[in-house]
Amino acid sequence: RSGCFIALLPLVHFVQEVAGATAPGRESVRACSMFDDPNLHWPSFGYIDFREMLRCASSGSGFDASIATVPLDAWYSHPPTVKLFQDNPQHLSLLIHGNDHVKRELARAYSEAARDALVAQSLRRIERLESVTGLSVARVMAAPHAACTDAMGSALLRFGYQGACISRAALMAANAEMDWPVAVGLRPAEFIGGGLPVIPRFGLSMHSQASMVIAAFLGQPVILVGHHDDLAGGYGVLGELADFINSLGPVRWMDLTAIARSNHRLTTWGSSAWLDLYSRSVEFMIPPDVGTLLVRRPWMAEDAAPE
């Protein structure tokens, strides 16, 4: 529960050991705050005002706000709002939120052709937004209503999505028939659709403190997600959450592209190293004394040969 994680920590560590999921420590915590739904039609969206959000982000707490925007809304962009994002990419960024944002949009029983058509349209709309505004949108899907099936994951993967960002419980609820690995919940990402990484996230609330600590301990990114009405009482909650996350140690606030590219585990011993991929595309530094690098893709069968 909020404010009480220490009793859970030894159990998490024990389960890590039993499941063979223990990871090397990271030098810093990766973090991001995400808001589902807003578009670039105006400087504000409900209780969200991008100008005020930027002022809070640059005033000391230094958080990154990633906006999960609906491709259907990409038909218009307000030039001053676009410039706000252009001038402040370290604090304001974009990712993709469904396509039309209808109920369980990514969790319905579509045909394969219908899934492909939906995913292709989402990208065409986003590519037009990028062409008109000059902004870059992360190829990471925040599923509407947090529901995405294994079959839809395959379509997202085929069309070049780098991953999805969904809470663990919602992901498993939408794919109850899947045979999840014994270490589910302990890794930087889970996989659906034959290899689409799904990065965990949790609610933007001070009640998520225990989840933040556990995620940081596991080497997972700390991604808080909310909607505009979570800021109905003002932006103080964002500052409080950022201050708490910053108290966990060195923190890198990142957009979803950077989080996806850093989602890996590098374990070294002597002159050799294992690189476990939890993203389709990663950036990393090979330690200077490493001469042999083995790459493992966790979405493949456990008995598959490493590369």
Side-chain angles (χ1 to χ4, degrees):
R1 66 184 187 275
S2 178
C4 184
F5 62 86
I6 197 66
L8 181 61
L9 209 57
L11 178 60
V12 171
H13 184 262
F14 171 72
V15 173
Q16 269 190 305
E17 294 285 345
V18 171
T22 304
R26 282 184 175 268
E27 295 181 356
S28 59
V29 176
R30 297 169 296 151
C32 178
S33 56
M34 181 189 303
F35 290 90
D36 285 353
D37 302 337
N39 53 52
L40 302 182
H41 295 184
W42 199 244
S44 60
F45 182 94
Y47 290 104
I48 291 176
D49 186 307
F50 296 128
R51 297 159 299 191
E52 181 65 17
M53 184 174 286
L54 178 61
R55 188 193 67 78
C56 293
S58 57
S59 65
S61 297
F63 57 84
D64 177 279
S66 286
I67 305 302
T69 194
V70 181
L72 179 65
D73 292 336
W75 62 273
Y76 172 72
S77 300
H78 180 239
T81 303
V82 170
K83 191 172 190 317
L84 203 64
F85 277 71
Q86 289 174 334
D87 292 345
N88 300 279
Q90 74 278 25
H91 293 308
L92 296 173
S93 58
L94 295 166
L95 70 152
I96 305 171
H97 192 35
N99 184 37
D100 293 333
H101 199 295
V102 296
K103 186 176 181 181
R104 294 182 61 82
E105 184 173 37
L106 304 185
R108 297 181 177 186
Y110 299 102
S111 66
E112 182 174 335
R115 287 193 295 269
D116 286 354
L118 185 154
V119 174
Q121 185 178 50
S122 74
L123 287 177
R124 285 197 304 272
R125 288 168 165 174
I126 290 300
E127 287 167 358
R128 180 186 178 278
L129 175 70
E130 291 177 320
S131 175
V132 170
T133 64
L135 296 171
S136 178
V137 182
R139 294 306 192 264
V140 175
M141 174 62 74
H145 308 289
C148 183
T149 62
D150 181 65
M152 187 60 76
S154 296
L156 292 169
L157 192 60
R158 281 196 298 275
F159 281 83
Y161 273 84
Q162 292 298 299
C165 193
I166 306 169
S167 71
R168 193 92 62 196
L171 175 68
M172 296 179 74
N175 296 279
E177 75 289 349
M178 283 187 63
D179 184 16
W180 294 97
V182 67
V184 64
L186 301 177
R187 308 182 298 176
E190 303 304 330
F191 298 94
I192 58 174
L196 182 78
V198 181
I199 305 169
R201 65 182 194 171
F202 36 85
L204 192 149
S205 166
M206 292 304 287
H207 294 295
S208 296
Q209 285 178 321
S211 298
M212 298 180 214
V213 174
I214 298 299
F217 174 75
L218 293 172
Q220 299 170 351
V222 179
I223 302 177
L224 302 170
V225 61
H227 295 80
H228 76 95
D229 51 358
D230 287 302
L231 300 181
Y235 291 80
V237 64
L238 276 180
E240 290 177 17
L241 287 167
D243 288 343
F244 179 78
I245 293 171
N246 290 334
S247 74
L248 299 178
V251 176
R252 289 183 294 159
W253 290 91
M254 313 167 78
D255 60 28
L256 265 294
T257 296
I259 283 179
R261 290 177 179 170
S262 64
N263 226 27
H264 59 77
R265 285 176 172 173
L266 186 66
T267 309
T268 61
W269 71 97
S271 61
S272 300
W274 281 104
L275 178 68
D276 291 296
L277 299 179
Y278 291 93
S279 180
R280 304 298 299 195
S281 177
V282 301
E283 295 177 355
F284 67 100
M285 295 293 293
I286 300 176
D289 55 344
V290 168
T292 302
L293 180 68
L294 297 174
V295 178
R296 294 188 290 197
R297 293 174 289 176
W299 59 87
M300 297 182 67
E302 290 186 5
D303 58 354
E307 297 180 341

